[in-house]
């Protein structure tokens, strides 16, 4: 009986350990630069997203379909983390951040390279649902990393890009139309 339990637990622990390692790679990158004065950082907690949804709900008019859609979308966002730096070598930082990601866990949605700039959108999915949207952008003098956690469909992401000013959604919407 113990052998069966161990046989079942080992794969589960390996999967959980690899997820933890991936999340901590992004977390370590964020933590590495968050105290650097060249960077601005933003963290919007799940609680703050709940509060925003509550504010929207309390101030919406009954039957307002747009407000109801927004409330549903906002409730799916579990947190946002942004690291943005100016007067940094953004292209090197872009490569560093992308190098930390496990390509087996993230699927590339968009990759735009232009004269002296790179932009990538990637998603991490579980059971057909998007659990994280990651945007990494770098130029010669600027860098931005945005991670949005939640439980989304691609339709949700398209609606967020069209109807909100959430960080990274403008760029997502523009790239999605190209």
């Amino acid at each position: 009986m113990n052998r069966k339990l161990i046989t079942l637990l080992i794969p589960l622990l390996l999967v959980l350990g690899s997820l933890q390692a991936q999340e901590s790679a992004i977390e370590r990158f964020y933590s590495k630069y968050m105290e650097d004065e060249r960077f601005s950082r933003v963290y919007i907690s799940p609680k703050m997203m709940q509060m925003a949804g509550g504010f929207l709900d309390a101030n919406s008019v009954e039957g307002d379909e747009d407000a109801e859609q927004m409330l549903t979308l906002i409730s799916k966002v579990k947190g946002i983390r942004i690291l943005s730096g100016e007067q940094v070598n953004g292209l090197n930082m872009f490569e560093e951040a992308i190098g930390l990601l496990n390509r087996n866990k993230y699927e590339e949605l968009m990759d735009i390279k232009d004269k002296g700039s790179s932009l990538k959108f990637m998603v991490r999915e579980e059971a057909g649902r998007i659990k994280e949207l990651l945007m990494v952008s770098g130029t010669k003098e600027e860098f931005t990393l945005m991670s949005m956690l939640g439980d989304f469909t691609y339709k949700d992401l398209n609606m967020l890009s069209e109807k909100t000013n959430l960080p990274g959604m403008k760029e997502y919407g523009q790239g999605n139309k190209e």
Side-chain angles (χ1 to χ4, degrees):
M1 177 96 153
N2 285 338
R3 181 171 266 184
K4 283 184 180 180
L5 183 61
I6 291 172
T7 305
L8 291 172
L9 284 177
I10 288 176
L12 179 63
L13 291 173
L14 290 173
V15 168
L16 291 174
S18 68
L19 290 175
Q20 177 78 25
Q22 185 59 51
E23 288 175 15
S24 63
I26 294 167
E27 190 70 32
R28 279 192 315 268
F29 184 85
Y30 184 84
S31 296
K32 179 179 176 180
Y33 294 103
M34 67 187 247
E35 297 301 325
D36 188 322
E37 290 184 14
R38 299 172 298 166
F39 292 90
S40 299
R41 63 181 168 82
V42 175
Y43 173 65
I44 303 171
S45 72
K47 217 29 130 181
M48 186 65 181
M49 295 308 298
Q50 282 180 330
M51 288 173 55
F55 179 77
L56 182 62
D57 190 31
N59 290 294
S60 64
V61 177
E62 190 173 328
D64 184 348
E65 201 171 300
D66 282 344
E68 289 175 20
Q69 271 187 331
M70 285 302 301
L71 182 59
T72 301
L73 287 172
I74 298 268
S75 71
K76 293 180 179 187
V77 179
K78 303 300 180 209
I80 299 173
R81 190 176 301 266
I82 303 167
L83 181 70
S84 182
E86 295 181 1
Q87 305 303 316
V88 297
N89 188 334
L91 293 173
N92 283 352
M93 294 192 71
F94 175 89
E95 294 300 327
E96 179 185 353
I98 294 298
L100 292 173
L101 299 176
N102 181 337
R103 298 301 176 116
N104 295 328
K105 298 210 181 339
Y106 286 87
E107 181 178 343
E108 196 170 285
L109 290 182
M110 202 180 320
D111 182 6
I112 301 171
K113 286 194 181 239
D114 199 8
K115 301 171 190 166
S117 69
S118 292
L119 171 69
K120 246 185 224 286
F121 277 94
M122 302 173 87
V123 292
R124 181 174 50 85
E125 289 185 50
E126 294 173 16
R129 304 286 293 181
I130 299 165
K131 299 299 182 180
E132 181 179 16
L133 173 68
L134 188 66
M135 179 193 80
V136 184
S137 172
T139 67
K140 292 178 183 177
E141 295 183 351
E142 295 179 358
F143 172 79
T144 302
L145 169 74
M146 186 275 304
S147 169
M148 183 168 60
L149 301 173
D151 186 29
F152 312 105
T153 64
Y154 287 102
K155 183 179 177 182
D156 293 335
L157 291 180
N158 290 337
M159 289 176 67
L160 281 169
S161 73
E162 292 170 7
K163 297 182 181 264
T164 70
N165 290 324
L166 287 174
M169 289 290 92
K170 176 182 168 193
E171 291 84 352
Y172 175 84
Q174 289 172 340
N176 208 21
K177 292 176 184 168
E178 289 178 1

